[in-house]
Amino acid sequence: MRGGGLLVAGTTSDAGKSVVTAGICRWLVRRGVKVAPFKGQNMSLNSFVTREGAEIGRAQAMQAQAARVEPTALMNPVLLKPGGDRSSQVVLMGKPVGEMSARGYHGRRQQTLFEPVLACLEELRATHDAVICEGAGSPAEINLRRTDIVNMGIARAARLPVVVVGDIDRGGVFAQFFGTTALLAPEDQELIAGYLVNKFRGDVTLLEPGLDMLHGLTGRRTFGVLPYAHGLGIDEEDGLRVSLRGTVRESVVAPPLGADVLRVAVCAVPLMSNFTDVDALAAEPGVIVRFVDRPEELADADLVVVPGTRGTVKALAWLRERGLADALARRAAEGRPVLGICGGFQALGEHIEDEVESRAGAVEALGLLPVRVRFAREKTLARPVGEALGERVEGYEIHHGVADVRGGEPFLDGCRVGAVWGTHWHGSLESDGFRRAFLREVAAAAGRAFVPAPDTSFGTLREEQLDRLGDLIEEHADTDALLRLVEEGAPKGLPFVPPGAP
């Protein structure tokens, strides 16, 4: 096999495309197939920096890990990072190329990106046995089909078979499968090989009559019914959809080693980015993580995290409007732990000069750390390695803000004053030794008899979760049929389902 491929599309956003793509990648690599993930265009505030210094969607980095390959910019050539309801930063081949409105992007710029996106896919296909592509939203977004570079546009250009994933937990999955197919042009429908049901609960035999009727209506089979699985903990594409009342992940709760638990409150700032920074905390036995948006929710927290954001000035205003800024100031005065990461670190400083992100000019920050920040037009994209609290730390940086640290104790690239820490480094808490040392400091400052587990390995937990995704595909999908699709393409003679695209 060389250059095989498959596009995993979805009936809606959040249907499970990212998870299924990762699962197929892990299943294939376990079979000895050299596989790579691909998403032509991704809209996400949750991003990652590759070793060559390129910014890509974190979901594609996770899928690359599932495929056991190093993530590269080829796997996500276009990344859109929302800066508000109507505009996004456009990142091309890992580097920002400017801000653009949704109308301007879909009207002009997107069409010019089609050839570079297709070239990236073809380069991956030339060097891998198979490339598993992820679509975006739904392929039946007929208002956007003319300029599509991530769903049927790329599938038709590259002659990729398409499997459509539907989330049955939401209801209406049969209508979604049928309607998605029926709203596509005949040339697009030729590539829709069939369907994959996701998040099913219950007795699958009760579903089979509906699947048979769907096959009769569309001429297309269902390749599998994946059960609802708790605690997968894979990286989400968009931090904007995080529930403020929910925990970070549904996972098995292990008892704490010490007498106390640690409660972590994460301020759900606007345009929150890389909220996955706190996943490593949530993986620790006895650490309870929740997202908050009210000052009273900070009262019982042992640690408050101000996370990254694509809008530091907007986040500052939000913190003040909500009363969270005053609550953070009280915590700092009382010696109660606060951690700022990236945009959160900038917000904890003294002063911000921003003519790039918000263009607000001079803005006073919260004044909890002796740091002044100036926003540069060039974005910092790096994979730093360092030491803190006597432990080795790895991280990654994605920011326009340049920090001038004017005091405090050194802490990674930032500083610490009392129980307030700040750094631009994302992902630092995934370094196990450093995370344990940091939690010991937090517990001491909070007066908690908390003991971090000595053997929690975040990397091992991530690998276990990716293996579970591979297991879902292997145990609940028709893998022989999926492999034929990857190798041979969509079956010939698939029937047209009227009315087709308008």
PDB file of all heavy atoms in Angstrom, residues 294-332:
ATOM      1  N   ARG A 294     -17.244  32.986  38.209  1.00  0.00           N
ATOM      2  CA  ARG A 294     -17.758  33.872  39.265  1.00  0.00           C
ATOM      3  C   ARG A 294     -16.752  33.920  40.413  1.00  0.00           C
ATOM      4  O   ARG A 294     -16.114  32.907  40.724  1.00  0.00           O
ATOM      5  CB  ARG A 294     -19.103  33.363  39.784  1.00  0.00           C
ATOM      6  CG  ARG A 294     -20.203  33.378  38.729  1.00  0.00           C
ATOM      7  CD  ARG A 294     -21.520  32.934  39.315  1.00  0.00           C
ATOM      8  NE  ARG A 294     -21.455  31.619  39.918  1.00  0.00           N
ATOM      9  CZ  ARG A 294     -22.429  30.723  39.845  1.00  0.00           C
ATOM     10  NH1 ARG A 294     -23.536  31.001  39.181  1.00  0.00           N
ATOM     11  NH2 ARG A 294     -22.306  29.549  40.441  1.00  0.00           N
ATOM     12  N   PRO A 295     -16.608  35.077  41.065  1.00  0.00           N
ATOM     13  CA  PRO A 295     -15.593  35.201  42.116  1.00  0.00           C
ATOM     14  C   PRO A 295     -15.823  34.269  43.295  1.00  0.00           C
ATOM     15  O   PRO A 295     -14.857  33.784  43.899  1.00  0.00           O
ATOM     16  CB  PRO A 295     -15.694  36.673  42.535  1.00  0.00           C
ATOM     17  CG  PRO A 295     -17.015  37.151  42.042  1.00  0.00           C
ATOM     18  CD  PRO A 295     -17.303  36.353  40.817  1.00  0.00           C
ATOM     19  N   GLU A 296     -17.083  33.983  43.627  1.00  0.00           N
ATOM     20  CA  GLU A 296     -17.342  33.109  44.772  1.00  0.00           C
ATOM     21  C   GLU A 296     -16.852  31.684  44.525  1.00  0.00           C
ATOM     22  O   GLU A 296     -16.629  30.924  45.474  1.00  0.00           O
ATOM     23  CB  GLU A 296     -18.828  33.092  45.123  1.00  0.00           C
ATOM     24  CG  GLU A 296     -19.767  32.675  44.011  1.00  0.00           C
ATOM     25  CD  GLU A 296     -20.286  33.841  43.186  1.00  0.00           C
ATOM     26  OE1 GLU A 296     -19.572  34.870  43.111  1.00  0.00           O
ATOM     27  OE2 GLU A 296     -21.390  33.722  42.622  1.00  0.00           O
ATOM     28  N   GLU A 297     -16.655  31.332  43.265  1.00  0.00           N
ATOM     29  CA  GLU A 297     -16.165  29.982  42.950  1.00  0.00           C
ATOM     30  C   GLU A 297     -14.659  29.835  43.190  1.00  0.00           C
ATOM     31  O   GLU A 297     -14.127  28.735  43.128  1.00  0.00           O
ATOM     32  CB  GLU A 297     -16.503  29.636  41.505  1.00  0.00           C
ATOM     33  CG  GLU A 297     -18.001  29.506  41.253  1.00  0.00           C
ATOM     34  CD  GLU A 297     -18.332  29.241  39.801  1.00  0.00           C
ATOM     35  OE1 GLU A 297     -18.013  30.098  38.950  1.00  0.00           O
ATOM     36  OE2 GLU A 297     -18.905  28.181  39.511  1.00  0.00           O
ATOM     37  N   LEU A 298     -14.000  30.968  43.486  1.00  0.00           N
ATOM     38  CA  LEU A 298     -12.584  30.916  43.817  1.00  0.00           C
ATOM     39  C   LEU A 298     -12.343  30.704  45.308  1.00  0.00           C
ATOM     40  O   LEU A 298     -11.222  30.391  45.728  1.00  0.00           O
ATOM     41  CB  LEU A 298     -11.885  32.215  43.398  1.00  0.00           C
ATOM     42  CG  LEU A 298     -11.337  32.299  41.968  1.00  0.00           C
ATOM     43  CD1 LEU A 298     -12.398  32.003  40.929  1.00  0.00           C
ATOM     44  CD2 LEU A 298     -10.701  33.668  41.734  1.00  0.00           C
ATOM     45  N   ALA A 299     -13.396  30.844  46.104  1.00  0.00           N
ATOM     46  CA  ALA A 299     -13.239  30.867  47.561  1.00  0.00           C
ATOM     47  C   ALA A 299     -12.625  29.580  48.098  1.00  0.00           C
ATOM     48  O   ALA A 299     -11.747  29.614  48.971  1.00  0.00           O
ATOM     49  CB  ALA A 299     -14.581  31.136  48.229  1.00  0.00           C
ATOM     50  N   ASP A 300     -13.080  28.421  47.604  1.00  0.00           N
ATOM     51  CA  ASP A 300     -12.574  27.164  48.155  1.00  0.00           C
ATOM     52  C   ASP A 300     -11.478  26.543  47.296  1.00  0.00           C
ATOM     53  O   ASP A 300     -11.075  25.409  47.520  1.00  0.00           O
ATOM     54  CB  ASP A 300     -13.716  26.162  48.329  1.00  0.00           C
ATOM     55  CG  ASP A 300     -14.307  25.702  47.000  1.00  0.00           C
ATOM     56  OD1 ASP A 300     -14.067  26.381  45.975  1.00  0.00           O
ATOM     57  OD2 ASP A 300     -15.010  24.678  46.977  1.00  0.00           O
ATOM     58  N   ALA A 301     -10.982  27.293  46.310  1.00  0.00           N
ATOM     59  CA  ALA A 301      -9.951  26.758  45.424  1.00  0.00           C
ATOM     60  C   ALA A 301      -8.586  26.841  46.091  1.00  0.00           C
ATOM     61  O   ALA A 301      -8.223  27.858  46.689  1.00  0.00           O
ATOM     62  CB  ALA A 301      -9.937  27.524  44.106  1.00  0.00           C
ATOM     63  N   ASP A 302      -7.819  25.776  45.973  1.00  0.00           N
ATOM     64  CA  ASP A 302      -6.449  25.781  46.477  1.00  0.00           C
ATOM     65  C   ASP A 302      -5.490  26.377  45.459  1.00  0.00           C
ATOM     66  O   ASP A 302      -4.429  26.888  45.817  1.00  0.00           O
ATOM     67  CB  ASP A 302      -6.029  24.355  46.819  1.00  0.00           C
ATOM     68  CG  ASP A 302      -6.946  23.736  47.866  1.00  0.00           C
ATOM     69  OD1 ASP A 302      -7.100  24.338  48.942  1.00  0.00           O
ATOM     70  OD2 ASP A 302      -7.519  22.668  47.587  1.00  0.00           O
ATOM     71  N   LEU A 303      -5.865  26.301  44.188  1.00  0.00           N
ATOM     72  CA  LEU A 303      -5.085  26.905  43.109  1.00  0.00           C
ATOM     73  C   LEU A 303      -6.057  27.490  42.098  1.00  0.00           C
ATOM     74  O   LEU A 303      -7.035  26.844  41.730  1.00  0.00           O
ATOM     75  CB  LEU A 303      -4.202  25.850  42.419  1.00  0.00           C
ATOM     76  CG  LEU A 303      -3.520  26.263  41.109  1.00  0.00           C
ATOM     77  CD1 LEU A 303      -2.471  27.339  41.356  1.00  0.00           C
ATOM     78  CD2 LEU A 303      -2.884  25.044  40.426  1.00  0.00           C
ATOM     79  N   VAL A 304      -5.775  28.713  41.649  1.00  0.00           N
ATOM     80  CA  VAL A 304      -6.540  29.318  40.567  1.00  0.00           C
ATOM     81  C   VAL A 304      -5.622  29.456  39.362  1.00  0.00           C
ATOM     82  O   VAL A 304      -4.495  29.963  39.481  1.00  0.00           O
ATOM     83  CB  VAL A 304      -7.106  30.696  40.960  1.00  0.00           C
ATOM     84  CG1 VAL A 304      -7.769  31.362  39.751  1.00  0.00           C
ATOM     85  CG2 VAL A 304      -8.110  30.552  42.093  1.00  0.00           C
ATOM     86  N   VAL A 305      -6.073  28.988  38.212  1.00  0.00           N
ATOM     87  CA  VAL A 305      -5.320  29.090  36.969  1.00  0.00           C
ATOM     88  C   VAL A 305      -5.994  30.115  36.068  1.00  0.00           C
ATOM     89  O   VAL A 305      -7.202  30.029  35.817  1.00  0.00           O
ATOM     90  CB  VAL A 305      -5.233  27.733  36.254  1.00  0.00           C
ATOM     91  CG1 VAL A 305      -4.490  27.876  34.922  1.00  0.00           C
ATOM     92  CG2 VAL A 305      -4.551  26.688  37.129  1.00  0.00           C
ATOM     93  N   VAL A 306      -5.216  31.093  35.613  1.00  0.00           N
ATOM     94  CA  VAL A 306      -5.681  32.017  34.569  1.00  0.00           C
ATOM     95  C   VAL A 306      -5.035  31.517  33.281  1.00  0.00           C
ATOM     96  O   VAL A 306      -3.817  31.652  33.096  1.00  0.00           O
ATOM     97  CB  VAL A 306      -5.282  33.469  34.863  1.00  0.00           C
ATOM     98  CG1 VAL A 306      -5.925  34.403  33.837  1.00  0.00           C
ATOM     99  CG2 VAL A 306      -5.699  33.865  36.274  1.00  0.00           C
ATOM    100  N   PRO A 307      -5.803  30.906  32.387  1.00  0.00           N
ATOM    101  CA  PRO A 307      -5.221  30.197  31.238  1.00  0.00           C
ATOM    102  C   PRO A 307      -4.896  31.128  30.080  1.00  0.00           C
ATOM    103  O   PRO A 307      -5.106  32.345  30.134  1.00  0.00           O
ATOM    104  CB  PRO A 307      -6.325  29.213  30.863  1.00  0.00           C
ATOM    105  CG  PRO A 307      -7.579  29.964  31.190  1.00  0.00           C
ATOM    106  CD  PRO A 307      -7.267  30.767  32.433  1.00  0.00           C
ATOM    107  N   GLY A 308      -4.412  30.514  29.001  1.00  0.00           N
ATOM    108  CA  GLY A 308      -4.128  31.267  27.792  1.00  0.00           C
ATOM    109  C   GLY A 308      -5.392  31.793  27.143  1.00  0.00           C
ATOM    110  O   GLY A 308      -6.492  31.302  27.370  1.00  0.00           O
ATOM    111  N   THR A 309      -5.216  32.816  26.306  1.00  0.00           N
ATOM    112  CA  THR A 309      -6.339  33.436  25.603  1.00  0.00           C
ATOM    113  C   THR A 309      -5.828  34.120  24.350  1.00  0.00           C
ATOM    114  O   THR A 309      -4.681  34.583  24.309  1.00  0.00           O
ATOM    115  CB  THR A 309      -7.062  34.460  26.496  1.00  0.00           C
ATOM    116  OG1 THR A 309      -8.018  35.190  25.703  1.00  0.00           O
ATOM    117  CG2 THR A 309      -6.088  35.448  27.110  1.00  0.00           C
ATOM    118  N   ARG A 310      -6.668  34.168  23.317  1.00  0.00           N
ATOM    119  CA  ARG A 310      -6.337  34.906  22.099  1.00  0.00           C
ATOM    120  C   ARG A 310      -6.683  36.386  22.243  1.00  0.00           C
ATOM    121  O   ARG A 310      -6.493  37.166  21.317  1.00  0.00           O
ATOM    122  CB  ARG A 310      -7.112  34.325  20.915  1.00  0.00           C
ATOM    123  CG  ARG A 310      -6.280  33.570  19.919  1.00  0.00           C
ATOM    124  CD  ARG A 310      -5.542  34.460  18.955  1.00  0.00           C
ATOM    125  NE  ARG A 310      -6.403  34.908  17.874  1.00  0.00           N
ATOM    126  CZ  ARG A 310      -6.171  35.966  17.129  1.00  0.00           C
ATOM    127  NH1 ARG A 310      -5.135  36.730  17.370  1.00  0.00           N
ATOM    128  NH2 ARG A 310      -6.979  36.301  16.160  1.00  0.00           N
ATOM    129  N   GLY A 311      -7.178  36.775  23.425  1.00  0.00           N
ATOM    130  CA  GLY A 311      -7.545  38.168  23.643  1.00  0.00           C
ATOM    131  C   GLY A 311      -7.197  38.593  25.060  1.00  0.00           C
ATOM    132  O   GLY A 311      -8.083  38.676  25.918  1.00  0.00           O
ATOM    133  N   THR A 312      -5.924  38.884  25.326  1.00  0.00           N
ATOM    134  CA  THR A 312      -5.498  39.203  26.688  1.00  0.00           C
ATOM    135  C   THR A 312      -6.220  40.434  27.226  1.00  0.00           C
ATOM    136  O   THR A 312      -6.686  40.442  28.374  1.00  0.00           O
ATOM    137  CB  THR A 312      -3.975  39.432  26.726  1.00  0.00           C
ATOM    138  OG1 THR A 312      -3.318  38.248  26.271  1.00  0.00           O
ATOM    139  CG2 THR A 312      -3.516  39.746  28.131  1.00  0.00           C
ATOM    140  N   VAL A 313      -6.331  41.478  26.418  1.00  0.00           N
ATOM    141  CA  VAL A 313      -7.003  42.708  26.876  1.00  0.00           C
ATOM    142  C   VAL A 313      -8.485  42.444  27.121  1.00  0.00           C
ATOM    143  O   VAL A 313      -9.059  42.911  28.110  1.00  0.00           O
ATOM    144  CB  VAL A 313      -6.783  43.839  25.859  1.00  0.00           C
ATOM    145  CG1 VAL A 313      -7.660  45.049  26.191  1.00  0.00           C
ATOM    146  CG2 VAL A 313      -5.311  44.249  25.830  1.00  0.00           C
ATOM    147  N   LYS A 314      -9.106  41.678  26.243  1.00  0.00           N
ATOM    148  CA  LYS A 314     -10.514  41.321  26.435  1.00  0.00           C
ATOM    149  C   LYS A 314     -10.685  40.481  27.703  1.00  0.00           C
ATOM    150  O   LYS A 314     -11.643  40.654  28.464  1.00  0.00           O
ATOM    151  CB  LYS A 314     -11.030  40.549  25.221  1.00  0.00           C
ATOM    152  CG  LYS A 314     -12.510  40.180  25.298  1.00  0.00           C
ATOM    153  CD  LYS A 314     -12.970  39.441  24.043  1.00  0.00           C
ATOM    154  CE  LYS A 314     -13.016  40.372  22.858  1.00  0.00           C
ATOM    155  NZ  LYS A 314     -13.647  39.720  21.675  1.00  0.00           N
ATOM    156  N   ALA A 315      -9.746  39.571  27.950  1.00  0.00           N
ATOM    157  CA  ALA A 315      -9.800  38.747  29.156  1.00  0.00           C
ATOM    158  C   ALA A 315      -9.651  39.604  30.417  1.00  0.00           C
ATOM    159  O   ALA A 315     -10.323  39.363  31.421  1.00  0.00           O
ATOM    160  CB  ALA A 315      -8.711  37.680  29.114  1.00  0.00           C
ATOM    161  N   LEU A 316      -8.770  40.601  30.360  1.00  0.00           N
ATOM    162  CA  LEU A 316      -8.612  41.515  31.493  1.00  0.00           C
ATOM    163  C   LEU A 316      -9.919  42.220  31.820  1.00  0.00           C
ATOM    164  O   LEU A 316     -10.327  42.313  32.987  1.00  0.00           O
ATOM    165  CB  LEU A 316      -7.534  42.554  31.175  1.00  0.00           C
ATOM    166  CG  LEU A 316      -6.112  42.253  31.617  1.00  0.00           C
ATOM    167  CD1 LEU A 316      -5.161  43.296  31.039  1.00  0.00           C
ATOM    168  CD2 LEU A 316      -6.004  42.226  33.132  1.00  0.00           C
ATOM    169  N   ALA A 317     -10.569  42.744  30.790  1.00  0.00           N
ATOM    170  CA  ALA A 317     -11.846  43.435  31.002  1.00  0.00           C
ATOM    171  C   ALA A 317     -12.881  42.488  31.595  1.00  0.00           C
ATOM    172  O   ALA A 317     -13.646  42.858  32.500  1.00  0.00           O
ATOM    173  CB  ALA A 317     -12.342  44.021  29.682  1.00  0.00           C
ATOM    174  N   TRP A 318     -12.893  41.257  31.115  1.00  0.00           N
ATOM    175  CA  TRP A 318     -13.836  40.243  31.606  1.00  0.00           C
ATOM    176  C   TRP A 318     -13.573  39.925  33.070  1.00  0.00           C
ATOM    177  O   TRP A 318     -14.504  39.825  33.873  1.00  0.00           O
ATOM    178  CB  TRP A 318     -13.715  38.997  30.738  1.00  0.00           C
ATOM    179  CG  TRP A 318     -14.643  37.874  31.071  1.00  0.00           C
ATOM    180  CD1 TRP A 318     -15.910  37.698  30.611  1.00  0.00           C
ATOM    181  CD2 TRP A 318     -14.342  36.739  31.908  1.00  0.00           C
ATOM    182  NE1 TRP A 318     -16.429  36.513  31.116  1.00  0.00           N
ATOM    183  CE2 TRP A 318     -15.502  35.919  31.909  1.00  0.00           C
ATOM    184  CE3 TRP A 318     -13.225  36.348  32.642  1.00  0.00           C
ATOM    185  CZ2 TRP A 318     -15.553  34.722  32.628  1.00  0.00           C
ATOM    186  CZ3 TRP A 318     -13.281  35.166  33.353  1.00  0.00           C
ATOM    187  CH2 TRP A 318     -14.424  34.366  33.355  1.00  0.00           C
ATOM    188  N   LEU A 319     -12.302  39.754  33.425  1.00  0.00           N
ATOM    189  CA  LEU A 319     -11.948  39.467  34.822  1.00  0.00           C
ATOM    190  C   LEU A 319     -12.409  40.593  35.737  1.00  0.00           C
ATOM    191  O   LEU A 319     -12.898  40.346  36.853  1.00  0.00           O
ATOM    192  CB  LEU A 319     -10.439  39.270  34.946  1.00  0.00           C
ATOM    193  CG  LEU A 319      -9.858  37.984  34.333  1.00  0.00           C
ATOM    194  CD1 LEU A 319      -8.336  38.065  34.253  1.00  0.00           C
ATOM    195  CD2 LEU A 319     -10.281  36.758  35.132  1.00  0.00           C
ATOM    196  N   ARG A 320     -12.273  41.819  35.279  1.00  0.00           N
ATOM    197  CA  ARG A 320     -12.693  42.964  36.093  1.00  0.00           C
ATOM    198  C   ARG A 320     -14.212  43.053  36.178  1.00  0.00           C
ATOM    199  O   ARG A 320     -14.778  43.279  37.249  1.00  0.00           O
ATOM    200  CB  ARG A 320     -12.093  44.246  35.522  1.00  0.00           C
ATOM    201  CG  ARG A 320     -10.591  44.353  35.784  1.00  0.00           C
ATOM    202  CD  ARG A 320      -9.970  45.585  35.159  1.00  0.00           C
ATOM    203  NE  ARG A 320      -8.607  45.774  35.654  1.00  0.00           N
ATOM    204  CZ  ARG A 320      -7.536  45.977  34.887  1.00  0.00           C
ATOM    205  NH1 ARG A 320      -7.676  46.031  33.560  1.00  0.00           N
ATOM    206  NH2 ARG A 320      -6.341  46.139  35.425  1.00  0.00           N
ATOM    207  N   GLU A 321     -14.876  42.882  35.049  1.00  0.00           N
ATOM    208  CA  GLU A 321     -16.348  42.973  35.038  1.00  0.00           C
ATOM    209  C   GLU A 321     -16.978  41.918  35.927  1.00  0.00           C
ATOM    210  O   GLU A 321     -17.992  42.166  36.586  1.00  0.00           O
ATOM    211  CB  GLU A 321     -16.864  42.809  33.602  1.00  0.00           C
ATOM    212  CG  GLU A 321     -16.556  43.971  32.687  1.00  0.00           C
ATOM    213  CD  GLU A 321     -16.758  43.606  31.230  1.00  0.00           C
ATOM    214  OE1 GLU A 321     -17.197  42.455  30.952  1.00  0.00           O
ATOM    215  OE2 GLU A 321     -16.463  44.445  30.362  1.00  0.00           O
ATOM    216  N   ARG A 322     -16.389  40.729  35.963  1.00  0.00           N
ATOM    217  CA  ARG A 322     -16.952  39.616  36.732  1.00  0.00           C
ATOM    218  C   ARG A 322     -16.580  39.662  38.212  1.00  0.00           C
ATOM    219  O   ARG A 322     -17.075  38.862  38.988  1.00  0.00           O
ATOM    220  CB  ARG A 322     -16.465  38.283  36.152  1.00  0.00           C
ATOM    221  CG  ARG A 322     -16.957  37.984  34.751  1.00  0.00           C
ATOM    222  CD  ARG A 322     -18.442  37.678  34.751  1.00  0.00           C
ATOM    223  NE  ARG A 322     -18.945  37.369  33.444  1.00  0.00           N
ATOM    224  CZ  ARG A 322     -19.516  36.216  33.109  1.00  0.00           C
ATOM    225  NH1 ARG A 322     -19.629  35.267  34.012  1.00  0.00           N
ATOM    226  NH2 ARG A 322     -19.993  36.021  31.904  1.00  0.00           N
ATOM    227  N   GLY A 323     -15.696  40.565  38.598  1.00  0.00           N
ATOM    228  CA  GLY A 323     -15.239  40.599  39.981  1.00  0.00           C
ATOM    229  C   GLY A 323     -14.124  39.610  40.262  1.00  0.00           C
ATOM    230  O   GLY A 323     -13.662  39.489  41.406  1.00  0.00           O
ATOM    231  N   LEU A 324     -13.667  38.907  39.238  1.00  0.00           N
ATOM    232  CA  LEU A 324     -12.604  37.928  39.418  1.00  0.00           C
ATOM    233  C   LEU A 324     -11.251  38.601  39.640  1.00  0.00           C
ATOM    234  O   LEU A 324     -10.384  38.063  40.342  1.00  0.00           O
ATOM    235  CB  LEU A 324     -12.543  36.999  38.212  1.00  0.00           C
ATOM    236  CG  LEU A 324     -13.703  35.995  38.102  1.00  0.00           C
ATOM    237  CD1 LEU A 324     -13.813  35.466  36.682  1.00  0.00           C
ATOM    238  CD2 LEU A 324     -13.517  34.849  39.083  1.00  0.00           C
ATOM    239  N   ALA A 325     -11.053  39.786  39.055  1.00  0.00           N
ATOM    240  CA  ALA A 325      -9.793  40.498  39.246  1.00  0.00           C
ATOM    241  C   ALA A 325      -9.580  40.833  40.719  1.00  0.00           C
ATOM    242  O   ALA A 325      -8.483  40.633  41.264  1.00  0.00           O
ATOM    243  CB  ALA A 325      -9.768  41.763  38.399  1.00  0.00           C
ATOM    244  N   ASP A 326     -10.620  41.328  41.375  1.00  0.00           N
ATOM    245  CA  ASP A 326     -10.501  41.643  42.799  1.00  0.00           C
ATOM    246  C   ASP A 326     -10.264  40.375  43.618  1.00  0.00           C
ATOM    247  O   ASP A 326      -9.482  40.381  44.581  1.00  0.00           O
ATOM    248  CB  ASP A 326     -11.765  42.345  43.294  1.00  0.00           C
ATOM    249  CG  ASP A 326     -11.902  43.761  42.741  1.00  0.00           C
ATOM    250  OD1 ASP A 326     -10.872  44.334  42.340  1.00  0.00           O
ATOM    251  OD2 ASP A 326     -13.033  44.280  42.707  1.00  0.00           O
ATOM    252  N   ALA A 327     -10.925  39.295  43.243  1.00  0.00           N
ATOM    253  CA  ALA A 327     -10.742  38.036  43.965  1.00  0.00           C
ATOM    254  C   ALA A 327      -9.308  37.521  43.814  1.00  0.00           C
ATOM    255  O   ALA A 327      -8.720  36.993  44.766  1.00  0.00           O
ATOM    256  CB  ALA A 327     -11.740  36.992  43.469  1.00  0.00           C
ATOM    257  N   LEU A 328      -8.728  37.679  42.616  1.00  0.00           N
ATOM    258  CA  LEU A 328      -7.344  37.276  42.402  1.00  0.00           C
ATOM    259  C   LEU A 328      -6.390  38.134  43.230  1.00  0.00           C
ATOM    260  O   LEU A 328      -5.408  37.631  43.793  1.00  0.00           O
ATOM    261  CB  LEU A 328      -6.993  37.372  40.916  1.00  0.00           C
ATOM    262  CG  LEU A 328      -7.639  36.326  40.001  1.00  0.00           C
ATOM    263  CD1 LEU A 328      -7.439  36.693  38.537  1.00  0.00           C
ATOM    264  CD2 LEU A 328      -7.059  34.936  40.276  1.00  0.00           C
ATOM    265  N   ALA A 329      -6.673  39.429  43.299  1.00  0.00           N
ATOM    266  CA  ALA A 329      -5.831  40.317  44.102  1.00  0.00           C
ATOM    267  C   ALA A 329      -5.876  39.930  45.580  1.00  0.00           C
ATOM    268  O   ALA A 329      -4.848  39.940  46.270  1.00  0.00           O
ATOM    269  CB  ALA A 329      -6.264  41.763  43.902  1.00  0.00           C
ATOM    270  N   ARG A 330      -7.058  39.590  46.072  1.00  0.00           N
ATOM    271  CA  ARG A 330      -7.177  39.160  47.468  1.00  0.00           C
ATOM    272  C   ARG A 330      -6.389  37.874  47.709  1.00  0.00           C
ATOM    273  O   ARG A 330      -5.720  37.722  48.738  1.00  0.00           O
ATOM    274  CB  ARG A 330      -8.650  38.967  47.844  1.00  0.00           C
ATOM    275  CG  ARG A 330      -9.429  40.271  47.984  1.00  0.00           C
ATOM    276  CD  ARG A 330     -10.770  40.039  48.656  1.00  0.00           C
ATOM    277  NE  ARG A 330     -11.647  39.171  47.873  1.00  0.00           N
ATOM    278  CZ  ARG A 330     -12.485  39.609  46.940  1.00  0.00           C
ATOM    279  NH1 ARG A 330     -12.551  40.916  46.658  1.00  0.00           N
ATOM    280  NH2 ARG A 330     -13.261  38.768  46.284  1.00  0.00           N
ATOM    281  N   ARG A 331      -6.469  36.954  46.767  1.00  0.00           N
ATOM    282  CA  ARG A 331      -5.723  35.696  46.907  1.00  0.00           C
ATOM    283  C   ARG A 331      -4.225  35.983  46.999  1.00  0.00           C
ATOM    284  O   ARG A 331      -3.513  35.409  47.838  1.00  0.00           O
ATOM    285  CB  ARG A 331      -5.977  34.768  45.712  1.00  0.00           C
ATOM    286  CG  ARG A 331      -7.332  34.124  45.679  1.00  0.00           C
ATOM    287  CD  ARG A 331      -7.398  33.111  44.532  1.00  0.00           C
ATOM    288  NE  ARG A 331      -6.517  31.975  44.789  1.00  0.00           N
ATOM    289  CZ  ARG A 331      -6.866  30.878  45.441  1.00  0.00           C
ATOM    290  NH1 ARG A 331      -8.094  30.756  45.915  1.00  0.00           N
ATOM    291  NH2 ARG A 331      -5.996  29.899  45.617  1.00  0.00           N
ATOM    292  N   ALA A 332      -3.733  36.837  46.100  1.00  0.00           N
ATOM    293  CA  ALA A 332      -2.309  37.143  46.100  1.00  0.00           C
ATOM    294  C   ALA A 332      -1.889  37.762  47.434  1.00  0.00           C
ATOM    295  O   ALA A 332      -0.834  37.414  47.985  1.00  0.00           O
ATOM    296  CB  ALA A 332      -1.974  38.079  44.947  1.00  0.00           C
TER     297      ALA A 332
END
